[in-house]
Amino acid sequence: DVAAAKYGLEKNLGWFADPLYFGDYPASLKACAKDLLPSFTANESALLKGSLDFLGINFYTGKYVKGSPNDTCSVETRDRDVNGTEIGAQAESSWLRVVPWSFYKLLKYVQKRYDPKQIMITENGVSVPKEGNMTVQQAIKDDFRVNYYRGYLNNLCKAISEGVKVDTYFAWSFMDNFEWREGYSQRFGINYVDFASPNLTRTSKDSAKFLSKHFFNVGRAGGVGAPVPTASKPQKASGVGAAPAPSASKPQKAGGVGGAPEPNAGKPQQASGSAPAPSAGKPQQAAGTAPAPNAGKPQQAAGTAKATQQRQL
């Protein structure tokens, strides 16, 4: 089972990341896939190795794995352990369970195997059970999503405190939207969208307020290893829709939750590239897009933000 879990990671993540870091596919994948995988020339391998600027990862859930003593290429994923205990709470999406500790384990694995200089979490989020059938007043009380983010972000902060070089985090998603083959039936947004309204009216959910208060306001400039702002200089407030730093000559409006402007209805951010998502129900992993916010421009809305400190929520 341990060997099957290792092969599962090499098959799903190493398939994309290994060529970019090592110039070739994992040996285990080549042994199992045989002629189905192309071969790299020495020149192609040299061009690939180290060619990425950062490693982007979409992460949602984890699974248990069972191997076969007669087939080393067999990987069977399960939602229950050998005692029948579920790995985590079931989300609305059939492939998604709430497994916060798997986020920590994956990040530690990635840092140890690839030693990337920069990791971006390009998607992370959850669909609340039955939320598509709720009224707006019911849907905005999304404790299930709040608890998901609390658990996953605590594990993210733990990994960062132990040397994992994550400096950017994107929640999926800024608002309810078109979820691929599920259409509008499953909601991942931290802002509710009334699809029946001509104006597509949006209402912030409790998860948006939670992230704005406890995570997105940690800081935007810097990244891994950035110095913490000191009290000697007035600092600009950060977070979703934060107001500029107060001026002594002019009273300022409060920023953040309650005092922030309504989030912009622009497109939710989603990167594309390497490192596939752990489940078949979601699009594959991302790498290469979604730049960090520019300090001279208005900051991003509630679905995107940059994590620059380690903090328990």
Side-chain angles (χ1 to χ4, degrees):
D1 293 345
V2 173
K6 180 175 181 294
Y7 175 62
L9 285 168
E10 292 174 354
K11 177 182 178 182
N12 288 284
L13 176 60
W15 181 15
F16 294 87
D18 271 36
L20 296 170
Y21 281 99
F22 308 135
D24 202 357
Y25 295 114
S28 60
L29 187 59
K30 291 197 289 184
C32 290
K34 298 182 171 57
D35 296 338
L36 295 176
L37 278 180
S39 297
F40 297 119
T41 66
N43 185 53
E44 288 171 337
S45 180
L47 288 171
L48 278 169
K49 189 175 180 179
S51 61
L52 73 172
D53 296 315
F54 65 87
L55 179 62
I57 299 176
N58 292 1
F59 193 87
Y60 290 86
T61 190
K63 302 281 186 182
Y64 291 126
V65 170
K66 181 170 178 57
S68 169
N70 302 316
D71 183 3
T72 57
C73 299
S74 171
V75 177
E76 178 189 344
T77 60
R78 296 183 173 185
D79 293 324
R80 296 175 182 270
D81 64 16
V82 292
N83 298 315
T85 304
E86 292 187 343
I87 194 170
Q90 177 68 59
E92 176 66 15
S93 305
S94 61
W95 52 269
L96 206 169
R97 296 273 183 158
V98 181
V99 193
W101 55 263
S102 65
F103 195 19
Y104 168 81
K105 290 176 72 72
L106 186 278
L107 291 171
K108 293 286 284 186
Y109 171 85
V110 165
Q111 191 65 51
K112 181 177 180 180
R113 183 175 179 86
Y114 302 111
D115 192 25
K117 295 180 180 179
Q118 181 185 16
I119 302 171
M120 291 188 183
I121 304 305
T122 40
E123 288 186 24
N124 179 235
V126 70
S127 53
V128 173
K130 310 300 182 185
E131 189 174 359
N133 300 324
M134 296 179 186
T135 65
V136 61
Q137 293 306 318
Q138 292 172 327
I140 62 175
K141 301 296 182 182
D142 59 342
D143 289 346
F144 187 90
R145 185 175 287 109
V146 169
N147 290 330
Y148 176 95
Y149 279 121
R150 179 183 286 112
Y152 277 68
L153 291 175
N154 279 342
N155 277 274
L156 169 63
C157 291
K158 179 183 177 184
I160 292 173
S161 72
E162 295 177 6
V164 176
K165 296 176 182 176
V166 175
D167 71 352
T168 302
Y169 173 90
F170 292 87
W172 188 261
S173 174
F174 157 61
M175 62 182 178
D176 298 327
N177 62 90
F178 185 81
E179 287 294 338
W180 301 97
R181 70 183 182 187
E182 305 302 337
Y184 297 102
S185 65
Q186 295 182 3
R187 294 174 178 265
F188 278 78
I190 60 175
N191 289 291
Y192 181 90
V193 178
D194 183 356
F195 295 117
S197 165
N199 297 322
L200 297 175
T201 303
R202 289 163 292 145
T203 307
S204 291
K205 303 176 188 178
D206 285 351
S207 56
K209 298 173 183 178
F210 170 81
L211 290 173
S212 295
K213 180 179 180 181
H214 294 292
F215 194 72
F216 288 165
N217 68 345
V218 168
R220 292 183 183 275
V224 173
V228 177
T230 63
S232 58
K233 277 189 179 181
Q235 299 296 326
K236 288 188 178 181
S238 56
V240 179
S247 164
S249 60
K250 196 174 181 182
Q252 300 294 326
K253 290 184 179 179
V257 178
E262 183 178 359
N264 192 301
K267 280 188 177 179
Q269 300 299 319
Q270 187 175 13
S272 59
S274 69
S279 67
K282 291 294 293 183
Q284 298 304 305
Q285 252 94 335
T289 63
N294 187 314
K297 293 184 180 179
Q299 301 300 326
Q300 285 149 306
T304 59
K306 193 166 188 178
T308 60
Q309 297 179 8
Q310 296 80 56
R311 175 172 175 175
Q312 289 294 307
L313 308 180

